[in-house]
Amino acid sequence: MQYPYFNNMPRIIAHRGASGLAPENTLAAIDLAAKLGIRSVEIDVMITADNQCVICHDHNVRRCTNGEGKVRLKTLSEIKELDAGSWFSSEFKGEKIPTLSEAMKLIAEREMSVNLEIKPLDGWQVPTAEIVCAELKRLQSQLPPLLISSFNIESLQVVNKLLPDVPIGYLSDTLPHNWKERLSAVNAASLHMDCDFINRDIVNEVHEASIRLLTYTLNDPAKAKQFLGWGVDGIITDFPDRMSELS
Ligand code: G3P
Ligand code: MG
């Protein structure tokens, strides 16, 4: 199947936006990736107490905001009170945790594509994916080219059912012993692996199964160049500025 995300596949993907240079998963980090000439961003999505989709990596807001507590126990208006920029640098004071809708709008405006990673709480893998899919359907005409990934098979099975036209990336630190079964269970188009576990044989093995291989989180440009030489399809990096000659 031909998917818009993989047409003219971006080789360099800014992880959580340009998260080495701006506060992760904020509009500022997405915007900076665009300014650096990057054509795709990876961002994380989870749900709030009032079932709104927000862009955030950790289940607790402590590390990346001036607040404390679980995203799932806060309403969207409580989430919007938080400063998600100052922890990174005073330059980003007042930056907010974006909604999925706000992030998608900016990414589309900047003519980028997006790898959206679903981050469910344990026990909420299915409802989280259902809520994210419903929001994506609502935004349909405004969406940039999209690739949805997750470490969680249950979430990805929901995506496969509700958004059959969107490609799925299966996230795994290592190459699972039964990776072909896992990928076929979610109809995955790509496998996204921790860069420490990739070698040339794995690249070939995955490609022989007609699956694309992306890797995270690779911040060393020399290693990225080597990986691209082996045929790795996408490098997810915190420092897209270091990879400009590779994109
Ligand atoms: O999607 C690649 C990477 O973001 C997966 O790990 O923890 O950074 O979301 P994490
Ligand atoms: Mg992620």
Side-chain angles (χ1 to χ4, degrees):
M1 189 154 173
Q2 288 286 331
Y3 296 112
Y5 185 88
F6 293 121
N7 289 343
N8 193 15
M9 168 84 192
R11 303 201 315 167
I12 304 298
I13 301 153
H15 185 231
R16 310 180 194 171
S19 63
L21 308 163
E24 64 180 58
N25 281 322
T26 63
L27 297 182
I30 293 169
D31 198 36
L32 185 52
K35 287 196 174 103
L36 291 167
I38 296 303
R39 293 186 295 112
S40 188
V41 288
E42 186 267 2
I43 54 175
D44 306 292
V45 65
M46 58 182 63
I47 56 172
T48 62
D50 47 350
N51 289 338
Q52 301 300 303
C53 301
V54 290
I55 304 305
C56 190
H57 178 273
D58 297 2
H59 289 291
N60 193 304
V61 298
R62 185 186 308 127
R63 182 176 61 88
C64 292
T65 73
N66 60 343
E68 163 63 41
K70 306 276 197 218
V71 171
R72 184 66 177 134
L73 298 177
K74 292 181 184 295
T75 62
L76 179 59
S77 66
E78 288 168 338
I79 291 280
K80 282 295 187 183
E81 286 167 16
L82 302 170
D83 177 341
S86 295
W87 71 275
F88 188 88
S89 139
S90 57
E91 186 193 333
F92 296 99
K93 185 174 188 306
E95 198 65 33
K96 300 292 180 193
I97 291 180
T99 62
L100 176 59
S101 163
E102 289 164 344
M104 290 293 157
K105 183 167 179 281
L106 179 62
I107 293 164
E109 277 171 10
R110 297 294 182 269
E111 298 182 341
M112 291 192 289
S113 63
V114 61
N115 170 196
L116 182 67
E117 182 189 343
I118 301 178
K119 290 267 186 220
L121 275 175
D122 282 351
W124 285 83
Q125 292 91 342
V126 168
T128 302
E130 286 172 344
I131 291 164
V132 170
C133 288
E135 179 66 351
L136 291 171
K137 276 190 176 173
R138 190 182 72 80
L139 298 170
Q140 202 162 25
S141 61
Q142 305 150 52
L143 290 178
L146 177 62
L147 166 67
I148 295 183
S149 62
S150 184
F151 287 99
N152 188 269
I153 285 184
E154 280 181 272
S155 292
L156 292 177
Q157 283 175 328
V158 170
V159 175
N160 188 38
K161 190 168 142 217
L162 298 182
L163 299 174
D165 296 334
V166 175
I168 286 175
Y170 180 74
L171 276 163
S172 176
D173 287 342
T174 60
L175 185 71
H177 68 96
N178 57 348
W179 67 272
K180 286 185 184 170
E181 286 92 328
R182 288 178 188 230
L183 267 72
S184 77
V186 298
N187 193 27
S190 55
L191 171 65
H192 306 192
M193 280 179 60
D194 184 327
C195 60
D196 289 344
F197 288 95
I198 286 185
N199 59 45
R200 198 170 198 157
D201 289 342
I202 286 177
V203 180
N204 293 337
E205 195 182 338
V206 171
H207 280 166
E208 273 164 26
S210 300
I211 297 291
R212 290 180 172 83
L213 183 64
L214 280 66
T215 187
Y216 59 87
T217 305
L218 213 177
N219 294 330
D220 172 4
K223 196 167 176 182
K225 193 171 180 182
Q226 179 187 43
F227 276 25
L228 291 170
W230 292 347
V232 169
D233 299 279
I235 306 287
I236 301 174
T237 180
D238 297 328
F239 292 95
D241 55 322
R242 297 178 188 170
M243 312 280 175
S244 51
E245 68 174 40
L246 302 175
S247 59

